[in-house]
Amino acid sequence: LPDCNWVAVSYVPKAEVMSGPRMLAMTLVIIGLFTVLALICLVYLLLFRLVIIPVGRLDNSVQRIADGNLNVSVDVNSNDEFGRLAENLGRMTGRLHSYSGYIDEIVTALNEIGGGNLAFRPQKNYEGEFARVKDALVNITRSLSAAKEQEDAAKRLESEKNAADSANRAKSRFLAQMSHEIRTPINAVLGMNE
Protein backbone atom coordinates (compact mmCIF):
# COMPACT_ATOMS: atom_id res chain seq x y z
CA LEU A 1 0.00 0.00 0.00
CA PRO A 2 1.42 3.17 -1.02
CA ASP A 3 1.61 5.92 1.50
CA CYS A 4 1.19 3.55 4.33
CA ASN A 5 3.60 3.51 7.21
CA TRP A 6 3.35 -0.06 7.91
CA VAL A 7 6.32 -2.42 7.94
CA ALA A 8 6.01 -6.01 6.96
CA VAL A 9 8.20 -8.37 8.99
CA SER A 10 8.80 -11.91 8.09
CA TYR A 11 10.41 -14.43 10.40
CA VAL A 12 12.87 -17.05 9.14
CA PRO A 13 14.62 -19.31 11.64
CA LYS A 14 18.38 -18.84 11.91
CA ALA A 15 19.07 -22.52 11.17
CA GLU A 16 17.19 -22.19 7.90
CA VAL A 17 19.09 -19.04 6.95
CA MET A 18 22.48 -20.63 7.80
CA SER A 19 21.79 -23.99 6.18
CA GLY A 20 22.67 -22.80 2.68
CA PRO A 21 26.13 -21.39 3.52
CA ARG A 22 26.85 -24.34 5.79
CA MET A 23 25.99 -26.75 3.05
CA LEU A 24 28.11 -24.76 0.64
CA ALA A 25 31.04 -24.69 3.11
CA MET A 26 30.70 -28.41 3.76
CA THR A 27 30.60 -29.12 0.03
CA LEU A 28 33.68 -26.98 -0.52
CA VAL A 29 35.54 -28.74 2.28
CA ILE A 30 34.66 -32.16 0.86
CA ILE A 31 35.67 -31.07 -2.66
CA GLY A 32 38.90 -29.63 -1.23
CA LEU A 33 39.70 -32.86 0.61
CA PHE A 34 39.07 -34.94 -2.50
CA THR A 35 41.19 -32.52 -4.54
CA VAL A 36 44.05 -32.74 -2.03
CA LEU A 37 43.72 -36.53 -1.96
CA ALA A 38 43.74 -36.66 -5.76
CA LEU A 39 46.81 -34.40 -5.85
CA ILE A 40 48.57 -36.59 -3.30
CA CYS A 41 47.80 -39.68 -5.40
CA LEU A 42 48.99 -37.91 -8.55
CA VAL A 43 52.22 -36.79 -6.87
CA TYR A 44 52.76 -40.31 -5.54
CA LEU A 45 52.22 -41.83 -8.99
CA LEU A 46 54.59 -39.31 -10.55
CA LEU A 47 57.19 -39.93 -7.84
CA PHE A 48 56.73 -43.67 -8.24
CA ARG A 49 57.19 -43.47 -11.99
CA LEU A 50 59.94 -40.83 -12.07
CA VAL A 51 61.89 -41.63 -8.89
CA ILE A 52 61.04 -44.88 -7.15
CA ILE A 53 61.15 -47.16 -10.22
CA PRO A 54 64.48 -45.75 -11.55
CA VAL A 55 66.04 -45.86 -8.07
CA GLY A 56 64.88 -49.46 -7.69
CA ARG A 57 66.43 -50.39 -11.03
CA LEU A 58 69.67 -48.63 -10.12
CA ASP A 59 69.69 -50.37 -6.74
CA ASN A 60 69.14 -53.76 -8.42
CA SER A 61 71.99 -53.10 -10.87
CA VAL A 62 74.34 -51.91 -8.12
CA GLN A 63 73.52 -54.99 -6.04
CA ARG A 64 74.37 -57.31 -8.96
CA ILE A 65 77.63 -55.41 -9.55
CA ALA A 66 78.47 -55.68 -5.84
CA ASP A 67 77.86 -59.45 -6.12
CA GLY A 68 80.56 -59.61 -8.82
CA ASN A 69 78.49 -59.58 -12.01
CA LEU A 70 80.23 -56.97 -14.15
CA ASN A 71 78.13 -57.76 -17.22
CA VAL A 72 75.16 -55.79 -15.89
CA SER A 73 73.23 -53.40 -18.06
CA VAL A 74 71.42 -50.59 -16.28
CA ASP A 75 67.80 -50.29 -17.45
CA VAL A 76 67.18 -46.58 -16.86
CA ASN A 77 66.45 -44.65 -20.03
CA SER A 78 65.91 -40.99 -19.23
CA ASN A 79 67.60 -37.67 -19.78
CA ASP A 80 67.54 -36.56 -16.16
CA GLU A 81 69.86 -37.18 -13.23
CA PHE A 82 68.89 -40.86 -13.09
CA GLY A 83 69.81 -41.29 -16.74
CA ARG A 84 73.20 -39.68 -16.17
CA LEU A 85 73.69 -41.78 -13.04
CA ALA A 86 72.84 -44.94 -15.00
CA GLU A 87 75.22 -43.92 -17.78
CA ASN A 88 78.03 -43.28 -15.30
CA LEU A 89 77.28 -46.57 -13.56
CA GLY A 90 77.61 -48.33 -16.93
CA ARG A 91 80.94 -46.61 -17.58
CA MET A 92 82.14 -47.56 -14.09
CA THR A 93 81.13 -51.18 -14.70
CA GLY A 94 83.08 -51.18 -17.97
CA ARG A 95 86.08 -49.78 -16.14
CA LEU A 96 85.78 -52.43 -13.43
CA HIS A 97 85.54 -55.09 -16.12
CA SER A 98 88.78 -53.88 -17.72
CA TYR A 99 90.39 -53.70 -14.26
CA SER A 100 89.36 -57.32 -13.73
CA GLY A 101 91.17 -58.18 -16.98
CA TYR A 102 94.24 -56.31 -15.75
CA ILE A 103 94.17 -58.22 -12.47
CA ASP A 104 93.81 -61.56 -14.28
CA GLU A 105 96.82 -60.77 -16.48
CA ILE A 106 98.88 -59.58 -13.49
CA VAL A 107 98.05 -62.74 -11.52
CA THR A 108 99.05 -64.88 -14.49
CA ALA A 109 102.30 -62.91 -14.83
CA LEU A 110 103.10 -63.29 -11.12
CA ASN A 111 102.44 -67.03 -11.31
CA GLU A 112 104.72 -67.28 -14.35
CA ILE A 113 107.43 -65.27 -12.59
CA GLY A 114 107.04 -67.48 -9.51
CA GLY A 115 107.51 -70.52 -11.77
CA GLY A 116 110.72 -69.11 -13.21
CA ASN A 117 109.36 -67.75 -16.50
CA LEU A 118 110.56 -64.15 -16.56
CA ALA A 119 109.24 -63.26 -20.01
CA PHE A 120 106.36 -60.96 -18.94
CA ARG A 121 104.90 -59.16 -21.94
CA PRO A 122 101.70 -57.26 -21.11
CA GLN A 123 98.89 -57.90 -23.60
CA LYS A 124 96.51 -55.20 -22.38
CA ASN A 125 96.77 -51.43 -22.59
CA TYR A 126 96.86 -50.53 -18.90
CA GLU A 127 95.24 -47.32 -17.64
CA GLY A 128 95.33 -45.39 -14.38
CA GLU A 129 96.98 -46.95 -11.35
CA PHE A 130 97.30 -50.27 -13.16
CA ALA A 131 99.78 -48.67 -15.57
CA ARG A 132 102.07 -48.18 -12.56
CA VAL A 133 101.60 -51.83 -11.57
CA LYS A 134 102.44 -52.94 -15.13
CA ASP A 135 105.57 -50.76 -15.16
CA ALA A 136 106.63 -52.22 -11.79
CA LEU A 137 106.12 -55.78 -13.10
CA VAL A 138 108.16 -55.02 -16.21
CA ASN A 139 110.95 -53.56 -14.05
CA ILE A 140 110.84 -56.57 -11.70
CA THR A 141 111.08 -59.04 -14.59
CA ARG A 142 113.97 -57.08 -16.10
CA SER A 143 115.80 -57.07 -12.77
CA LEU A 144 115.12 -60.75 -12.17
CA SER A 145 116.16 -61.59 -15.74
CA ALA A 146 119.43 -59.68 -15.29
CA ALA A 147 120.04 -61.43 -11.95
CA LYS A 148 119.24 -64.82 -13.51
CA GLU A 149 121.61 -64.11 -16.39
CA GLN A 150 124.33 -63.16 -13.89
CA GLU A 151 123.63 -66.33 -11.90
CA ASP A 152 123.71 -68.43 -15.08
CA ALA A 153 126.96 -66.76 -16.13
CA ALA A 154 128.43 -67.41 -12.67
CA LYS A 155 127.37 -71.07 -12.90
CA ARG A 156 128.94 -71.37 -16.37
CA LEU A 157 132.15 -69.78 -15.10
CA GLU A 158 132.18 -72.09 -12.07
CA SER A 159 131.59 -75.10 -14.33
CA GLU A 160 134.34 -73.98 -16.72
CA LYS A 161 136.68 -73.34 -13.77
CA ASN A 162 135.93 -76.81 -12.38
CA ALA A 163 136.56 -78.33 -15.81
CA ALA A 164 139.83 -76.38 -16.12
CA ASP A 165 140.87 -77.42 -12.59
CA SER A 166 140.02 -81.04 -13.39
CA ALA A 167 142.03 -80.84 -16.64
CA ASN A 168 144.90 -79.22 -14.78
CA ARG A 169 144.89 -82.00 -12.15
CA ALA A 170 144.76 -84.64 -14.89
CA LYS A 171 147.71 -82.95 -16.63
CA SER A 172 149.64 -82.81 -13.35
CA ARG A 173 148.98 -86.52 -12.67
CA PHE A 174 149.98 -87.37 -16.24
CA LEU A 175 153.19 -85.37 -15.98
CA ALA A 176 153.99 -86.87 -12.57
CA GLN A 177 153.37 -90.37 -13.95
CA MET A 178 155.46 -89.67 -17.05
CA SER A 179 158.20 -88.16 -14.94
CA HIS A 180 158.24 -91.25 -12.78
CA GLU A 181 158.17 -93.54 -15.84
CA ILE A 182 161.08 -91.66 -17.41
CA ARG A 183 163.18 -91.31 -14.22
CA THR A 184 163.02 -94.96 -13.23
CA PRO A 185 164.76 -96.29 -16.39
CA ILE A 186 167.18 -93.35 -16.43
CA ASN A 187 168.14 -93.99 -12.80
CA ALA A 188 168.71 -97.66 -13.66
CA VAL A 189 170.95 -96.71 -16.59
CA LEU A 190 172.82 -94.16 -14.48
CA GLY A 191 173.18 -96.74 -11.70
CA MET A 192 174.79 -99.19 -14.14
CA ASN A 193 177.21 -96.61 -15.37
CA GLU A 194 178.63 -96.09 -11.93
Side-chain angles (χ1 to χ4, degrees):
L1 311 175
D3 293 331
C4 169
N5 286 337
W6 289 19
V7 177
V9 177
S10 132
Y11 175 76
V12 179
K14 183 177 179 183
E16 191 178 320
V17 170
M18 295 304 286
S19 71
R22 271 192 191 148
M23 195 62 140
L24 179 64
M26 194 59 110
T27 304
L28 288 176
V29 166
I30 290 173
I31 290 172
L33 285 175
F34 279 119
T35 304
V36 167
L37 185 61
L39 285 175
I40 289 172
C41 288
L42 181 64
V43 166
Y44 175 77
L45 289 175
L46 284 173
L47 279 175
F48 188 78
R49 184 177 181 280
L50 297 175
V51 175
I52 295 173
I53 289 175
V55 167
R57 287 179 180 164
L58 285 171
D59 181 53
N60 186 24
S61 297
V62 168
Q63 182 63 42
R64 291 190 330 225
I65 291 168
D67 290 340
N69 182 3
L70 298 179
N71 297 321
V72 172
S73 64
V74 183
D75 301 330
V76 176
N77 297 320
S78 64
N79 294 325
D80 58 2
E81 290 83 4
F82 292 115
R84 288 192 300 276
L85 182 61
E87 179 183 323
N88 289 332
L89 185 63
R91 286 183 25 225
M92 181 186 71
T93 303
R95 201 86 187 255
L96 287 172
H97 193 66
S98 66
Y99 288 170
S100 177
Y102 298 161
I103 291 170
D104 289 343
E105 186 174 79
I106 290 169
V107 166
T108 300
L110 289 173
N111 285 331
E112 290 290 320
I113 291 169
N117 182 5
L118 301 177
F120 172 64
R121 305 251 184 320
Q123 303 298 316
K124 300 189 178 302
N125 187 16
Y126 289 74
E127 296 175 353
E129 293 297 315
F130 284 97
R132 292 178 46 209
V133 173
K134 177 203 70 159
D135 292 342
L137 272 176
V138 168
N139 289 336
I140 288 170
T141 55
R142 281 184 193 146
S143 296
L144 289 174
S145 292
K148 188 171 185 327
E149 286 175 12
Q150 287 177 347
E151 182 182 343
D152 290 346
K155 284 180 182 177
R156 278 193 312 274
L157 287 175
E158 182 69 26
S159 175
E160 290 172 5
K161 178 186 172 272
N162 289 341
D165 286 345
S166 177
N168 195 23
R169 282 191 301 276
K171 177 188 79 164
S172 294
R173 278 194 310 269
F174 174 76
L175 289 177
Q177 185 70 26
M178 290 315 265
S179 171
H180 175 72
E181 293 291 328
I182 292 173
R183 267 185 292 151
T184 302
I186 291 179
N187 285 337
V189 170
L190 287 179
M192 282 192 199
N193 278 343
E194 288 181 12

